[in-house]
């Protein structure tokens, strides 16, 4: 079964599973839950099964679940735990699903989510599968755009940084294709977006200056120095500066999936356009909406 | 005080503490709780104090407690934590009992449970004490038999694998003695059941073929290769095969405490007689019943 | 902004923030919550952000929060987690505060609390900042005195052990200054109380015998052998003995922050004056009171 054919309420595997109306529904629920006091998942529980550490993502799901009244069984660094002593991923999944209403899975293997879904009888949420996808991150990024600007269609979105390796960027680009959005890319040539993700209308740049003026959303990701040859590393610096912000639109939204390591100096944090911490909060709401959609009583 | 004299509601230390009527009561409660929506332990909490890793067992107690409305303070790998810096087990127990209504203790020392019980003023549950016992595992195994077959008396139970080292097998055998059950053992001679656990009526085999036909319950455990001499390892293979299943009764129940490492191939998972994942679920219900019996308001 | 100017309901940083009437209020609330069944923090959550392991303190906050109906996101050994991969403490705080109503922070750097408070928009509780303070420990020590004796004014308090390095002792001494209390110190000369903490009325000793008779509260802390020169270590033994207890008042209260490593032999545990395990329980109640004061709806 192709990922896209799995109903997302049964397993969130890839952004390819979502239609615009699915997204509208999730975002509307996220907004309602963000102001609500109801605890619709009281008595429900999930397992956070993290084969790779990711405190940020696991904490976000943990908080989402407990805010809804549910509980979380946290299993971190599962490689060192007795669960996996010689045990197949499939057996681990079938064991842990006895204890919970859904499993949130972060794994270093790209095929892990698919293997989990093939044996699981409870919903699975892909919280990152190796070089594969991180669909809840892409959804929260899109939700941030929607909340900060009130709409998505008609915007000019600039993605800057390491566009080659980031699964988050790839997933977000796929989602943006569903909207009437102009997409621009800024990266060192060595770290440009893989060709399969590009469409004819896209424009690519090596410098933020060329596009900062007309950008509505500036989405910045890390450029990991070790991925650049020395000569390139010297010529480009993919950090946003105060001068960039001075030139940018008043209503521009500056985003980053965090953690950052210099791409956005903390001096810019007080700029009202800096949305990266609000982005964390929006992520909580999107994950709450997914959990309620997948395991809520209705 | 001998273990058997400790009321099990105060501390679950050994299977020797349970009478048939105790077991009836626990199993009846487990069945009721498995379908219930009540949360009788709301406001209660336990500490999961694991000196050895055992994600499977700790997750099971975690899930049992949270499904009942209670909360769990997870303390894993306690040896590396500040609790034990130079501190005696007794002091650790007396400290942590201030924070909870019961303690679930897994420890590598056989005398740890006894030492904990001697100082604790809250109920203690032995979740495995070195080469000693793992009483909640034996209870859940028995409960699985009871649920899968509707009764225990009159059955023929075959235990296969490493019968020498497994504390789970030893505890289960003790419980089975309380019922009118025919017990058969299949193992390499080097890994046969220790003599003290044997009774006159028992029969021992080195090959499953001899007994598969009349077996009602086939309980398989791991044979760890490193425990067999080379010649033995070559001659015997204690894995269940499709051909064994073809010969077995239609209503036979195939059990395994998990994790498995080849004793039961995954091809057999779809056989309705394969009960090892249901066994996990039954375990959850038995632990819920124990928790409610020990710390519920009544 | 000086610590003392931060309202303690916004951030508990130092004992210097508390007035006698603040303390009266906290202690009254602690006493009420210790007998209550209400769960005023249902739907609320905290993050336990521990850069240093401290199972005792983190468990105490965990239990306090869950007893009040709230939930806890436990982040231990954060240095090894993805949260901090190249990320500043400030960014970690701003990320995690999105997921919770308050942060409990244990950090090895003395300035960590201050840095956290400077960026946080949710309440922060200092659970130990390096050589700095551990204010909730000092408050629970004072609460123990108050509960065990019914009052604080008029008592003679003897502090014994390593008075030089213990942040707990330093904070407790500051709090005791707010009351009409006679304070006596017993330590090897090398480990005496730093001069800034001493006042004219204090008396210092090198032997418990000199002061045991008139002591109302005997507060013992660890003397770490490696901090004593050999000659001193040989001469002094800062352990309480049965003979000390025989000479002490009938209503004396024997306290210790735990863990102990020989300063109080376990033989004294059954003496009704031994209050160190009750002290753990009082700590739970004080932390419940702080949490309700800081994040309760009121």
């Amino acid at each position: 079964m192709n990922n896209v054919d799995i109903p997302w309420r049964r397993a969130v595997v890839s952004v390819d599973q979502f239609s615009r109306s699915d997204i509208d529904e999730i975002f509307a629920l996220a907004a309602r839950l963000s102001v609500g006091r109801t605890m619709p998942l009281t008595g429900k529980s999930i397992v956070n099964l993290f084969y790779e550490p990711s405190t940020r993502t696991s904490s976000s799901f943990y908080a989402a679940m407990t805010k809804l009244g549910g509980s979380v069984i946290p299993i971190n660094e599962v490689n060192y735990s007795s669960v996996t002593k010689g045990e197949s991923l499939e057996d681990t999944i079938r064991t842990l699903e006895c204890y919970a209403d859904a499993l949130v899975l972060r794994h270093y293997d790209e095929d892990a989510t698919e293997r989990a879904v093939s044996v699981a009888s409870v919903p699975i949420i892909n919280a990152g599968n190796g070089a594969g996808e991180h669909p809840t991150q892409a959804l929260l990024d899109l939700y941030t755009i929607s909340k900060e600007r009130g709409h998505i269609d008609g915007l000019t979105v600039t993605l800057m940084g390491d566009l080659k390796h980031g699964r988050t960027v790839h997933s977000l680009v796929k989602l943006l294709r569903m909207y009437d959005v102009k997409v621009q890319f800024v990266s060192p040539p060595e770290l440009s977006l893989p060709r399969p993700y590009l469409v004819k209308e896209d424009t690519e740049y090596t410098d933020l200056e060329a596009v900062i003026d007309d950008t509505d959303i500036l989405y910045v990701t890390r450029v990991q120095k070790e991925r650049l040859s020395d000569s390139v590393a010297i010529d480009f610096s993919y950090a946003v500066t105060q001068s960039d912000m001075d030139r940018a639109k008043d209503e521009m939204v500056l985003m980053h999936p965090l953690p950052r390591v210099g791409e956005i100096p903390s001096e810019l944090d007080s700029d009202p356009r800096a949305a990266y911490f609000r982005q964390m909060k929006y992520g909580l709401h999107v994950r709450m909406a997914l959990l309620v959609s997948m395991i809520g009583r209705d």
Side-chain angles (χ1 to χ4, degrees), chain A residues 46-62 72-81 83-84 89 92-93 96 103-108 125-129 134 136 167 287:
Chain A
I46 60 171
V47 170
N48 263 0
L49 181 61
F50 278 61
Y51 283 78
E52 284 186 327
S54 174
T55 304
R56 193 177 309 274
T57 301
S58 68
S59 298
S60 179
F61 276 105
Y62 200 112
V72 181
I73 303 178
I75 305 185
N76 298 307
E77 298 172 88
V78 70
N79 271 340
Y80 306 104
S81 90
V83 164
T84 53
L89 174 65
T92 300
I93 295 292
L96 293 175
L103 302 182
V104 177
L105 176 65
R106 158 75 62 117
H107 201 284
Y108 43 81
I125 298 176
N126 177 6
N129 58 328
H134 191 2
T136 64
R167 62 184 171 196
R287 286 171 176 138

Side-chain angles (χ1 to χ4, degrees), chain A residues 55-284:
Chain A
T55 304
R56 193 177 309 274
T57 301
S58 68
S59 298
S60 179
F61 276 105
Y62 200 112
M65 191 64 188
T66 54
K67 272 184 192 300
L68 295 163
S71 60
V72 181
I73 303 178
I75 305 185
N76 298 307
E77 298 172 88
V78 70
N79 271 340
Y80 306 104
S81 90
S82 65
V83 164
T84 53
K85 255 179 211 147
E87 186 175 66
S88 69
L89 174 65
E90 284 81 357
D91 273 19
T92 300
I93 295 292
R94 294 199 65 180
T95 295
L96 293 175
E97 72 174 3
C98 296
Y99 304 148
D101 299 292
L103 302 182
V104 177
L105 176 65
R106 158 75 62 117
H107 201 284
Y108 43 81
D109 280 343
E110 201 169 335
D111 71 349
T113 318
E114 209 171 323
R115 289 168 59 197
V117 171
S118 72
V119 298
S121 60
V122 304
I124 301 282
I125 298 176
N126 177 6
N129 58 328
E133 292 218 34
H134 191 2
T136 64
Q137 175 72 43
L139 285 169
L140 81 85
D141 289 338
L142 190 69
Y143 183 62
T144 301
I145 295 172
S146 161
K147 290 295 284 185
E148 291 281 315
R149 295 298 298 258
H151 62 98
I152 302 170
D153 287 319
L155 296 176
T156 295
V157 179
T158 302
L159 295 108
M160 180 169 83
D162 179 352
L163 307 179
K164 184 174 179 186
H165 302 96
R167 62 184 171 196
T168 295
V169 166
H170 303 170
S171 295
L172 179 57
V173 166
K174 282 190 193 177
L175 285 181
L176 289 172
R177 298 301 184 209
M178 298 167 60
Y179 296 81
D180 176 24
V181 164
K182 182 179 169 195
V183 188
Q184 311 181 126
F185 301 99
V186 180
S187 72
E190 288 172 296
L191 297 179
S192 66
L193 195 73
R195 298 303 95 182
Y197 292 102
L198 269 189
V199 298
K200 201 177 47 150
E201 293 74 19
D202 294 341
T203 47
E204 296 183 276
Y205 303 86
T206 55
D207 198 319
L208 179 58
E209 255 188 42
V211 294
I212 185 70
D213 298 34
D214 74 338
T215 292
D216 293 308
I217 308 290
L218 178 56
Y219 190 100
V220 184
T221 62
R222 258 181 303 174
V223 174
Q224 287 164 292
K225 291 280 192 297
E226 62 275 21
R227 289 190 160 143
L228 288 172
S229 70
D230 283 352
S231 60
V232 175
I234 289 160
D235 290 347
F236 293 95
S237 164
Y238 288 82
V240 181
T241 63
Q242 182 60 56
S243 130
D244 293 323
M245 294 304 281
D246 290 344
R247 288 188 47 199
K249 292 183 181 180
D250 285 349
E251 68 276 23
M252 193 191 75
V253 177
L254 179 59
M255 297 173 62
H256 192 295
L258 300 181
R260 57 179 165 177
V261 287
E263 306 85 31
I264 301 177
S266 61
E267 286 69 36
L268 302 185
D269 293 359
S270 56
D271 190 310
R273 295 170 290 184
Y276 26 92
F277 292 115
R278 295 195 292 275
Q279 203 173 338
M280 298 289 110
K281 199 91 180 185
Y282 292 133
L284 183 64

Side-chain angles (χ1 to χ4, degrees), chain A residues 19-49:
Chain A
S19 69
R20 268 187 78 147
S21 77
D22 290 333
I23 290 171
D24 286 350
E25 189 187 321
I26 292 165
F27 287 4
L29 180 56
R32 280 204 305 281
L33 292 170
S34 75
V35 295
R37 290 249 172 164
T38 60
M39 299 179 79
L41 300 187
T42 300
K44 302 273 184 176
S45 60
I46 60 171
V47 170
N48 263 0
L49 181 61

